[in-house]
Amino acid sequence: MTHEWEGRDDYYDYYYTDAITDHALEFLSDRDEGTTFFLYMAYTAAHWPLHAKPEDIAAYQGRYHMGWDTIRKQRHARMKELGVVDPQWALSPRHDNVPAWPDAKYPLWHERRMEVYAAQVTCMDRNIGRIKDYLKQEELLDNTIVIYQHDNGGCHVEYLPTRTGSWTRPKTTDGKERPIKPGNIPNLMPGGQETFQSYGYGWANASNTPFRLFKQFDHEGGTRSPLIISWPRGIASELSGQLVSEVCHVIDIFPTLLDLVGAEIVEQQPIPMEGRSLAPALQGKDVKPHEALFWAHNKGSAVWSAGWKLVSPNRGQQWELYHLPSDGTELHDLSLRQPAKARELQQLHKDWLARNKAAARSGIK
């Protein structure tokens, strides 16, 4: 297999986030200008391995010297100030696998991991700007719907030196063929291609402020993520730059886009489309609420209905019950005090799983 960077004059400077955007801009410049277009860009940043441009890393030097405990408190205060979270929601405790910052070994290495992660985000942000600059230059920005979303919360995985796969290779591809040392090896500073590291429990815990747990779990720290929509000509002017509190799920994106472009909803079988359009919210109108939302990702399982959430950290072996409007950080398990509600939601989740397993056997049409 030939990789994209092979045979390029600038192979030594190849960076995947830039390359994705290069292809996106090529697609836009080659599009049929007489019709509408759909562009989906799935950046891998920010993610392991912690590789970033030296100049982007340098911009964050010392930024995280205060450590993850202080960062979490600062971010929680800022989120409350902005209205991103309810001021009544308490900050969740530091995760059990995360030491207090003063007790953390190798603090400079921990700082560096977050510096590189932040540098990855900066590069991604710059590249999103490249797309928006093109749209503005072509006078398309005002009537283009731009949606930014994440698929999960911060990932806690500590990358092991023994972990290998199709995504790893023994030597760098920058022409120097330096050996790559995989794994979160303390005091081996990440950033260059000769390393292969993740940012781990401490910074994932900070990234998911103020919520509990991480990617791979269906608690709020694993599933609550940003959804930002820009559409100058289509969004009510009084909503520009504002927060909307509607509960939504990724399954709502497709029906929303169909609604906005005036297309008919697909009659999907054997399971009808379960998402609903968020288009009214863009005009400050009410959106028909979901009767229930479901998750079953990796270690987790969850169901939400009318503000109540039943969630399991171990695929249904034990369940926890939370009332999110009053306890959005999932700190007060009500399953013993509200057993009937827990049973009701558990049955909803059981029925949903059965419905999807039956569909998988018969095939989606």
Side-chain angles (χ1 to χ4, degrees), residues 59-177:
Y60 287 97
Q61 186 173 3
R63 172 65 179 80
Y64 300 99
H65 183 69
M66 72 287 289
W68 42 62
D69 292 329
T70 299
I71 290 285
R72 292 186 77 225
K73 292 176 182 176
Q74 290 177 345
R75 288 185 179 177
H76 188 217
R78 180 63 171 156
M79 293 170 82
K80 290 191 292 184
E81 178 185 342
L82 292 172
V84 175
V85 299
D86 191 311
Q88 302 305 312
W89 295 352
L91 176 64
S92 63
R94 184 193 321 110
H95 190 271
D96 290 344
N97 288 356
V98 181
W101 182 254
D103 299 330
K105 297 180 180 179
Y106 316 109
L108 293 179
W109 175 66
H110 287 302
E111 286 182 47
R112 173 71 171 203
R113 289 201 290 172
M114 190 61 217
E115 290 168 1
V116 179
Y117 190 89
Q120 289 182 318
V121 175
T122 290
C123 185
M124 179 180 67
D125 185 62
R126 182 188 305 122
N127 276 277
I128 294 172
R130 291 173 63 197
I131 299 296
K132 296 202 72 174
D133 286 346
Y134 175 86
L135 295 174
K136 186 175 182 179
Q137 172 189 313
E138 297 296 312
E139 300 183 347
L140 295 169
L141 184 60
D142 284 352
N143 200 33
T144 297
I145 304 165
V146 179
I147 299 176
Y148 175 88
Q149 70 169 106
H150 268 264
D151 56 350
N152 48 252
C155 182
H156 61 296
V157 170
E158 297 286 358
Y159 202 91
L160 299 175
T162 55
R163 184 176 181 181
T164 59
S166 59
W167 60 89
T168 59
R169 53 184 49 83
K171 296 182 179 180
T172 63
T173 58
D174 57 1
K176 300 178 181 179
E177 295 193 339

